[in-house]
């Protein structure tokens, strides 16, 4: 019961976390080729059995329409969106006026939508995590599905544009045949890897299997214990991370599948593959091959060779490059997918545009704005500001200089064909934090190893309570 109580408390603690999605140089000879990036050959828009709501649309009805779009971005991405909005307001042929407002985080934005803006403002469009959009669609009916617009000959995205956006980017926003969101910036959960240090340790290629990965992280930890610098003792190897996407990536790497049963079975993490994953990682912690840092970010640890690997996001690439410069490191580094029992993988996540229900004219105006933002030029500007994935070849063609100057980003592009998505169900919005708390408990040295099966069992029980109260 004590573990169950801790898991339940983890829901409250976890929901206070900020779920942030935003903030060709030659390949290294040590980096083997992965399959080339590919895109779906058919449009990825489902056709729902239910009839769509298609009001009369006309350019004249859009004259003078004003809309508000709320987003979580600050800094460079927020500034870029402000500039793009000003451009749209100047150039759009319908006279639509858009105002964008930053909530500062996805959590604050969700509170504005669900509880009301402090100043009584109302949004017609949002930028939010897919699980949040799905919640607002399934639970509250707030979202205006995009199917009819996407496929409309006059107002939609062209078939070519729809088809070039990778299918995996669309899937997070799909439920029951509806396309609820339009992908805006996508990232991937990856492993950062110091190629230079690995070569000095005797490894001429990145690990391809879980056992090879274990060998390399333990060798790095042993090297730090043996060197003359006593301040780095206890470091090296893998820098432990317990965020929801890292936890899920490791579970999937060990073969976990169908952790959610949409037919009524609910969440099902208590599987042999999950116990194997937790035991494998807990062994690394107990053996000193993995360690927990005190700093909230991993960038300096990695630059100072206190971690051969760490779990991060494609969105972390900019910050890591800055840390390497700040620490005067000349090490060559890259990003890698998670090694799996059968094949490598990454998890793709991010933010999406959504249209909230309002008047037909405001809904259409909001759609036209986010459709324009999805065009290659505006989208490329957002990628440059954020470091996220591009939405297909048309956007990438405008980023060749960026790719050439950011070889790790170019490497990350090759992972798109092996990408998976987190569960695209509304309850993942809450469930992810329970998974995080359980994963953190499993890796704590103070948790008895014999308790790992009990934590998995209690994880499913707690998730059933979360789903029941949702």
């Amino acid at each position: 019961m004590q573990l169950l109580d801790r898991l339940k408390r983890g829901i409250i603690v976890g929901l206070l976390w900020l779920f942030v999605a935003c903030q060709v140089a030659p390949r290294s000879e040590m980096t083997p080729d992965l399959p080339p990036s590919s895109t779906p050959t058919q449009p990825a828009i489902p056709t729902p059995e239910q009839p769509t709501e298609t009001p009369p649309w006309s350019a004249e009805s859009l004259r003078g329409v004003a809309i508000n779009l709320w987003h979580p971005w600050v800094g460079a991405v927020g500034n870029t969106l402000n500039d793009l909005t000003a451009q749209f307001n100047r150039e759009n042929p319908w006279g639509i006026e858009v105002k964008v407002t930053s909530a500062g985080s996805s959590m604050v934005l969700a509170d504005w939508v669900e509880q009301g803006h402090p100043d009584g403002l109302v949004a017609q469009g949002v930028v939010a995590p897919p699980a949040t959009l799905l919640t607002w669609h399934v639970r509250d009916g707030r979202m205006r599905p995009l199917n009819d617009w996407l496929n409309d000959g006059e107002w939609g995205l062209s078939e070519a544009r729809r088809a070039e956006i990778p299918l995996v980017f669309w899937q997070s926003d799909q439920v029951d045949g509806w396309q609820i969101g339009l992908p805006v910036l996508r990232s991937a959960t990856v492993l950062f890897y110091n190629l230079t240090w690995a070569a000095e340790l005797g490894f001429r290629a990145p690990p391809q299997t879980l056992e090879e990965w274990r060998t390399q992280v333990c060798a790095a930890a042993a090297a730090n214990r043996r060197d003359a610098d006593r301040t780095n003792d206890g470091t090296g190897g893998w820098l432990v991370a317990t965020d929801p996407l890292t936890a899920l990536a490791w579970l999937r790497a060990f073969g976990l599948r169908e952790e959610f049963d949409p037919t009524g079975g609910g969440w099902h993490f208590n599987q042999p593959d999950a116990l194997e994953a937790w035991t494998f990682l807990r062994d690394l912690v107990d053996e000193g091959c993995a360690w927990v840092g005190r700093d909230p970010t991993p960038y300096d640890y990695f630059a100072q060779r206190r971690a051969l690997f760490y779990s991060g996001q494609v969105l972390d690439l900019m910050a890591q490059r800055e840390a390497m410069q700040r620490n005067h490191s000349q090490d060559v580094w890259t990003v890698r997918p998670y090694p799996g029992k059968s094949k490598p993988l990454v998890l793709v996540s991010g933010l999406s545009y959504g249209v909230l229900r309002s008047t037909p004219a405001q809904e259409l105006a909001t759609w036209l704005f986010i459709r324009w933002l999805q065009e290659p030029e505006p989208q490329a500007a957002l990628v440059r500001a954020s470091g996220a994935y591009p939405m297909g070849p048309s956007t990438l063609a405008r980023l060749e200089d960026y790719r050439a100057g950011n070889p790790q980003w170019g490497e990350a592009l090759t992972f798109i064909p092996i990408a998976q998505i987190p569960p695209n169900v509304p309850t993942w919005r809450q469930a992810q934090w329970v998974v995080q708390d359980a994963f953190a408990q499993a890796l704590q040295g103070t948790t008895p190893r014999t308790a790992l099966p009990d934590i998995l069992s209690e994880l499913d029980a707690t998730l059933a309570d979360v789903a029941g109260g949702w």
Side-chain angles (χ1 to χ4, degrees):
M1 288 301 297
Q2 181 180 8
L3 289 170
L4 180 58
D5 290 341
R6 291 174 66 187
L7 280 170
K8 290 179 177 178
R9 288 198 300 271
I11 303 172
I12 300 172
V13 174
L15 288 174
L16 296 178
W17 282 57
L18 169 63
F19 186 76
V20 178
C22 297
Q23 286 266 344
V24 170
R27 284 171 174 247
S28 166
E29 294 179 357
M30 295 177 62
T31 305
D33 288 336
L34 286 169
S37 179
S38 62
T39 55
T41 57
Q42 297 295 326
I45 312 306
T47 301
E49 296 180 359
Q50 304 95 326
T52 53
E53 303 173 23
T54 308
W57 297 333
S58 69
E60 189 59 34
S61 69
L62 296 170
R63 297 293 175 191
V65 172
I67 60 169
N68 294 303
L69 182 136
W70 293 345
H71 65 89
W73 296 318
V74 295
V77 184
N79 293 335
T80 298
L81 182 61
N82 290 339
D83 293 341
L84 291 172
T85 303
Q87 180 183 347
F88 179 83
N89 287 341
R90 290 192 307 269
E91 298 177 359
N92 82 84
W94 308 285
I96 298 169
E97 287 291 329
V98 182
K99 179 180 180 181
V100 294
T101 303
S102 172
S105 74
S106 294
M107 180 174 292
V108 172
L109 188 150
D111 188 62
W112 285 1
V113 172
E114 296 171 354
Q115 306 299 326
H117 190 279
D119 297 328
L121 303 177
V122 177
Q124 287 74 44
V126 290
V127 179
T132 302
L133 298 182
L134 297 181
T135 298
W136 293 338
H137 170 71
V138 174
R139 185 188 68 187
D140 303 331
R142 298 178 188 270
M143 305 307 302
R144 204 292 190 181
L146 309 179
N147 302 58
D148 50 347
W149 283 329
L150 283 165
N151 293 290
D152 187 84
E154 180 180 1
W155 304 100
L157 287 177
S158 68
E159 181 175 334
R161 181 63 178 148
R162 296 199 309 270
E164 74 167 349
I165 299 174
L167 177 60
V168 71
F169 292 178
W170 289 105
Q171 289 174 327
S172 294
D173 299 304
Q174 295 175 354
V175 60
D176 297 330
W178 295 108
Q179 189 72 40
I180 303 304
L182 185 65
V184 47
L185 295 181
R186 288 291 188 264
S187 181
T189 299
V190 295
L191 289 168
F192 283 64
Y193 178 48
N194 188 319
L195 291 163
T196 301
W197 190 18
E200 293 176 8
L201 293 170
F203 302 106
R204 304 305 303 174
Q208 301 299 305
T209 67
L210 288 161
E211 283 305 317
E212 289 178 359
W213 183 80
R214 177 188 182 122
T215 297
Q216 292 203 18
V217 299
C218 288
N224 278 5
R225 286 194 297 270
R226 291 194 304 264
D227 67 14
D229 182 4
R230 298 186 62 181
T231 66
N232 68 3
D233 290 358
T235 71
W238 177 54
L239 178 61
V240 172
T242 59
D243 62 275
L245 293 176
T246 295
L248 184 61
W250 280 121
L251 292 172
R252 295 267 185 92
F254 277 80
L256 185 76
R257 295 294 182 268
E258 300 179 354
E259 63 272 355
F260 183 81
D261 179 4
T263 64
W267 293 99
H268 182 51
F269 283 96
N270 189 11
Q271 302 180 35
D273 292 324
L275 181 58
E276 184 181 2
W278 283 10
T279 302
F280 176 89
L281 295 172
R282 177 60 185 273
D283 284 345
L284 295 181
V285 173
D286 291 347
E287 294 166 10
C289 300
W291 65 288
V292 179
R294 294 182 179 181
D295 291 344
T297 61
Y299 313 126
D300 288 326
Y301 287 136
F302 185 72
Q304 296 163 4
R305 292 195 177 186
R306 294 179 182 240
L308 182 64
F309 289 93
Y310 77 83
S311 299
Q313 289 281 329
V314 171
L315 294 174
D316 292 318
L317 289 171
M318 290 182 178
Q320 189 57 60
R321 282 193 292 273
E322 293 171 357
M324 301 303 278
Q325 295 172 0
R326 184 169 61 249
N327 287 275
H328 308 291
S329 173
Q330 300 299 312
D331 287 351
V332 178
W333 56 281
T334 189
V335 289
R336 300 297 302 157
Y338 280 71
K341 289 171 65 175
S342 59
K343 58 184 178 181
L345 67 93
V346 298
L347 288 179
V348 165
S349 61
L351 296 178
S352 297
Y353 299 117
V355 178
L356 297 169
R357 291 191 180 274
S358 53
T359 68
Q362 287 177 315
E363 290 174 356
L364 178 57
T366 305
W367 160 251
L368 292 172
F369 178 50
I370 65 174
R371 184 193 71 173
W372 180 82
L373 288 173
Q374 189 62 273
E375 290 299 313
E377 288 289 353
Q379 222 276 321
L382 288 169
V383 170
R384 288 180 185 276
S386 65
Y389 277 135
M391 292 292 157
S394 294
T395 303
L396 183 59
R398 291 157 173 82
L399 294 164
E400 286 306 322
D401 62 325
Y402 182 85
R403 182 178 186 174
N406 298 276
Q408 296 88 2
W409 185 80
E411 181 71 18
L413 294 178
T414 69
F415 304 159
I416 294 175
I418 61 171
Q420 302 176 19
I421 63 170
N424 62 330
V425 294
T427 51
W428 177 244
R429 183 182 172 190
Q430 290 80 22
Q432 61 182 319
W433 306 118
V434 188
V435 173
Q436 171 182 276
D437 189 65
F439 186 56
Q441 289 183 46
L443 298 190
Q444 283 179 359
T446 56
T447 299
R449 292 173 57 85
T450 55
L452 298 188
D454 293 334
I455 297 175
L456 273 173
S457 177
E458 291 165 0
L459 170 60
D460 284 352
T462 303
L463 290 173
D465 289 344
V466 171
W470 177 77

